[in-house]
Amino acid sequence: MIFLKAALYLRVSTEEQASGGHSIQAQQQELIKYCSAFDYDIYNFYIDAGYSASTMNRPALKKLLGDCKKYDIALVWRLDRLSRDMADLMKIIEIFTTYNIIFKSKTESFDTSTASGKLMLNMLGSFAEFERASISERIQLAHKKILNEGKWRGGRPPLGYELTQDKTLKINKNEAQIIRKIFDLSANKNIGTRSIAIHLNNLGYLTRNKKAFSSSSIVRILKNPTYYGEMVHKRQQYIKKDGKKKVVYSDNYTTYKGLYEPIISKEIFLKSEININRRKLNRGTSSKIPNLLSGLIFCGDCKEYMLRNTRKDGEVFFTCKSYKHYGKCTHHYISENIIMKEIQRSIQNLEESESTVYEMNKKLIKKKDHKLYIIENEISTIQESIHSISKRKDKLFELIEKEIITEKDFIERKKKLSKKNEEKNKLLKELQSKLDNIQNYQENKDFIPYIKSFTKDFHTLSFNSKKKILNIIIERIEIFHNDRPYGRKKIHIYYKI
């Protein structure tokens, strides 16, 4: 007799929900009984604890969809455990349909293989989405009520404040000194956010997370009305893109008078805002032109990425990320045109010495063959270990079905095995990635055609073709600081040959 394999998906969104009738343990118990009643083999549990159903960006859900070839049935306790968003639900069902997977809910009756079943699923999905919208509205009303009372609506208070027992804000004297210094430098001395971050870091100040200040963290402080006594509502908004939530800051937000002592005056806040807006008019912007060198160009001194920007006159240039965000390292300012000219000159030299390139290839391939042998052995050992863990999991399911172990023991042992399995799979993925890189290298070992294509046709090629050639030829480009004033930066190009 052939038993169908069932993948069990469980989810809770909050600790309050987990403590009630929808807890992970309660869902798990019900689904195990359901599988036993219908003679389903439990393939695996996919658990998202503390994740909202309004997005598809959930680790266990991603794994569930990634393992579609390994099971026959996807089982949930209730439909809203899978998704509360109608568009996301339809995407998930479409993936299940592609792999001929039956989708079932323990508490709701529908069959996705029939037209009436799909209609029922659509209706249930719409109700789940409506319920999510209703919950969101109730939360917003509760937030407004709290804010109208002058209390903090929830979450961690901003730097400079701490929360009292009656949910009002209280000044933290040590942190408030930092806030006053930031606004003084911005409003009274007209200093930019990057320079303020550098100044604070040089004085040894740290953020609440014990990290160095950055330009972006200073901007968030300078734009926060909480510091002059008004609390913000609906400034942070969420937009969905490719199933993921992204935070955006809106200029259309509401403020509420708080029952707490402000750290600065509103006049200082507005003065700082005027200075920030003036500086915006005088600076360049991030370049909107597609970046040929993305992922290739680094600071040679601190090894951080180089950031790409555009001057007002249209010149595209790179600067060190550490310098721009944290004031560390030096700016390493260099024009994109200079880098591209150096790449062309360097690659032309390579083309003129084909024999050198072939010799370099031969030595490197021999070295990589040895690495290939070592990594393949490591992968084989880890795969055996993963297979052993899988067998132990199967044994565990037998023990729970025969009631030899308690549900508590089952969950604890399953958790330990899952953790081990996750660690082994992570290591396996890393080794597989290394193996792929070596194999790809051996497949592309003849670089001469690409080098010739670069020197002969580069200016006539499309952006994607240019980028492909650069990524095949170049490993990384490093820009080094020159101690001489106005001296030309040193450019080191490392090739994949």
Side-chain angles (χ1 to χ4, degrees):
M1 184 177 179
I2 298 171
F3 294 101
L4 294 174
K5 290 181 183 177
L8 278 53
Y9 180 77
L10 309 97
R11 182 191 66 80
V12 288
S13 58
T14 62
E15 289 179 12
E16 290 78 15
Q17 196 176 14
S19 64
H22 299 158
S23 70
I24 291 291
Q25 289 79 9
Q27 292 176 50
Q28 196 168 37
Q29 192 175 6
E30 290 292 317
L31 293 181
I32 288 171
K33 287 178 184 175
Y34 187 88
C35 289
S36 178
F38 286 90
D39 290 328
Y40 295 152
D41 272 344
I42 297 174
Y43 170 70
N44 206 351
F45 291 100
Y46 297 83
I47 302 171
D48 276 321
Y51 285 88
S52 168
S54 63
T55 172
M56 287 177 69
N57 191 23
R58 290 172 259 158
L61 177 61
K62 287 180 180 177
K63 192 166 186 339
L64 176 76
L65 298 177
D67 290 349
C68 279
K69 292 180 181 178
K70 301 175 183 178
Y71 56 85
D72 309 297
I73 298 169
L75 182 62
V76 294
W77 178 71
R78 198 170 70 189
L79 185 64
D80 62 5
R81 300 301 88 200
L82 189 67
S83 181
R84 288 183 185 270
D85 184 282
M86 197 62 203
D88 287 348
L89 181 62
M90 290 300 101
K91 284 179 190 174
I92 294 167
I93 297 303
E94 189 178 344
I95 293 168
F96 287 158
T97 306
T98 303
Y99 290 95
N100 296 316
I101 289 167
I102 302 163
F103 175 56
K104 286 195 172 188
S105 164
K106 194 261 176 191
T107 56
E108 295 139 339
S109 179
F110 52 80
D111 181 359
T112 54
S113 64
T114 65
S116 58
K118 286 177 182 176
L119 176 62
M120 176 62 74
L121 183 67
N122 278 329
M123 289 170 66
L124 290 169
S126 297
F127 278 117
E129 188 170 11
F130 171 74
E131 186 183 353
R132 177 173 67 87
S134 300
I135 291 168
S136 179
E137 282 179 8
R138 289 197 295 272
I139 290 169
Q140 292 299 326
L141 286 170
H143 282 171
K144 284 182 180 180
K145 183 177 180 295
I146 293 166
L147 289 166
N148 276 319
E149 292 171 358
K151 295 179 179 180
W152 187 249
R153 68 181 176 89
R156 190 163 69 164
L159 186 72
Y161 286 105
E162 53 193 41
L163 204 57
T164 64
Q165 286 186 344
D166 63 348
K167 304 295 182 186
T168 56
L169 296 179
K170 176 186 171 185
I171 289 178
N172 179 312
K173 290 181 181 178
N174 292 331
E175 293 179 355
Q177 286 179 359
I178 302 172
I179 300 301
R180 291 189 186 102
K181 187 178 283 292
I182 290 169
F183 276 97
D184 177 56
L185 292 170
S186 176
N188 299 327
K189 295 179 179 157
N190 196 16
I191 294 175
T193 54
R194 191 184 64 80
S195 298
I196 292 172
I198 293 169
H199 180 67
L200 294 178
N201 294 336
N202 289 338
L203 291 173
Y205 290 119
L206 295 171
T207 67
R208 193 175 276 163
N209 295 328
K210 306 299 178 188
K211 293 182 179 179
F213 281 94
S214 66
S215 177
S216 57
S217 63
I218 299 297
V219 169
R220 281 195 295 273
I221 289 169
L222 292 173
K223 288 191 171 184
N224 193 345
T226 306
Y227 293 116
Y228 68 79
E230 292 187 6
M231 293 178 291
V232 180
H233 181 58
K234 294 201 79 172
R235 186 183 187 184
Q236 269 190 0
Q237 298 191 6
Y238 296 92
I239 57 169
K240 281 189 77 172
K241 189 175 181 182
D242 301 325
K244 294 181 182 179
K245 276 187 178 180
K246 184 183 176 183
V247 180
V248 292
Y249 290 89
S250 172
D251 291 330
N252 299 318
Y253 56 86
T254 313
T255 58
Y256 295 81
K257 184 69 178 172
L259 294 176
Y260 61 91
E261 184 186 348
I263 293 175
I264 58 155
S265 67
K266 190 170 183 178
E267 288 73 28
I268 289 286
F269 182 89
L270 294 174
K271 191 175 177 183
S272 166
E273 199 170 51
I274 289 166
N275 287 342
I276 289 169
N277 291 333
R278 276 180 187 157
R279 280 193 297 274
K280 273 185 186 176
L281 299 173
N282 298 323
R283 69 166 182 249
T285 59
S286 297
S287 178
K288 298 290 189 293
I289 305 165
N291 186 2
L292 273 176
L293 303 176
S294 62
L296 293 176
I297 185 160
F298 299 84
C299 171
D301 295 304
C302 74
K303 308 305 178 187
E304 264 288 8
Y305 280 106
M306 298 282 282
L307 299 177
R308 190 169 183 255
N309 293 275
T310 307
R311 284 164 55 100
K312 288 211 162 187
D313 60 7
E315 182 194 4
V316 178
F317 64 95
F318 289 89
T319 53
C320 172
K321 179 184 173 182
S322 286
Y323 174 78
K324 186 170 183 183
H325 285 180
Y326 305 107
K328 298 175 182 178
C329 200
T330 54
H331 58 73
H332 288 65
Y333 179 100
I334 187 166
S335 167
E336 186 178 60
N337 287 334
I338 290 172
I339 298 169
M340 291 307 298
K341 284 176 183 175
E342 180 60 25
I343 290 170
Q344 288 171 331
R345 186 195 64 77
S346 179
I347 288 177
Q348 198 167 1
N349 289 342
L350 274 179
E351 187 189 9
E352 290 168 1
S353 54
E354 285 191 27
S355 59
T356 307
V357 173
Y358 283 125
E359 282 303 313
M360 287 167 69
N361 257 324
K362 275 173 71 178
K363 287 179 183 177
L364 204 53
I365 289 168
K366 192 176 179 181
K367 187 179 176 183
K368 299 234 172 185
D369 279 341
H370 179 64
K371 283 185 181 178
L372 191 69
Y373 173 76
I374 293 169
I375 291 171
E376 282 175 341
N377 281 341
E378 287 181 19
I379 286 173
S380 178
T381 305
I382 290 168
Q383 284 174 335
E384 285 175 11
S385 181
I386 290 169
H387 183 64
S388 172
I389 291 169
S390 180
K391 280 186 174 180
R392 288 167 69 186
K393 275 187 180 180
D394 291 340
K395 185 70 178 173
L396 207 57
F397 286 119
E398 286 178 21
L399 293 174
I400 188 79
E401 284 173 10
K402 293 175 181 178
E403 297 184 354
I404 295 170
I405 59 171
T406 64
E407 189 181 322
K408 187 179 177 182
D409 288 336
F410 172 81
I411 292 166
E412 284 177 1
R413 292 190 199 181
K414 173 78 169 51
K415 195 174 181 181
K416 285 178 184 177
L417 288 173
S418 295
K419 190 177 179 182
K420 278 185 184 178
N421 193 56
E422 192 178 329
E423 288 168 358
K424 295 290 182 187
N425 274 301
K426 187 180 178 183
L427 187 57
L428 182 65
K429 193 176 178 182
E430 289 171 3
L431 289 170
Q432 194 64 55
S433 178
K434 286 181 183 177
L435 190 70
D436 290 343
N437 287 338
I438 292 169
Q439 288 170 339
N440 287 340
Y441 174 81
Q442 289 177 325
E443 287 166 9
N444 297 315
K445 59 190 177 187
D446 188 3
F447 288 89
I448 299 300
Y450 291 109
I451 289 170
K452 287 183 175 178
S453 178
F454 181 93
T455 53
K456 184 181 176 184
D457 308 313
F458 191 74
H459 292 294
T460 62
L461 296 173
S462 67
F463 171 82
N464 288 335
S465 299
K466 287 178 181 178
K467 191 161 180 63
K468 182 184 175 183
I469 290 172
L470 287 174
N471 281 314
I472 287 170
I473 298 172
I474 296 172
E475 183 73 46
R476 64 191 277 130
I477 302 162
E478 292 188 350
I479 311 298
F480 291 86
H481 177 66
N482 192 330
D483 293 328
R484 288 182 299 154
Y486 306 105
R488 190 167 180 171
K489 304 293 181 296
K490 298 170 188 173
I491 304 171
H492 286 193
I493 302 171
Y494 300 90
Y495 293 98
K496 293 181 179 178
I497 52 175

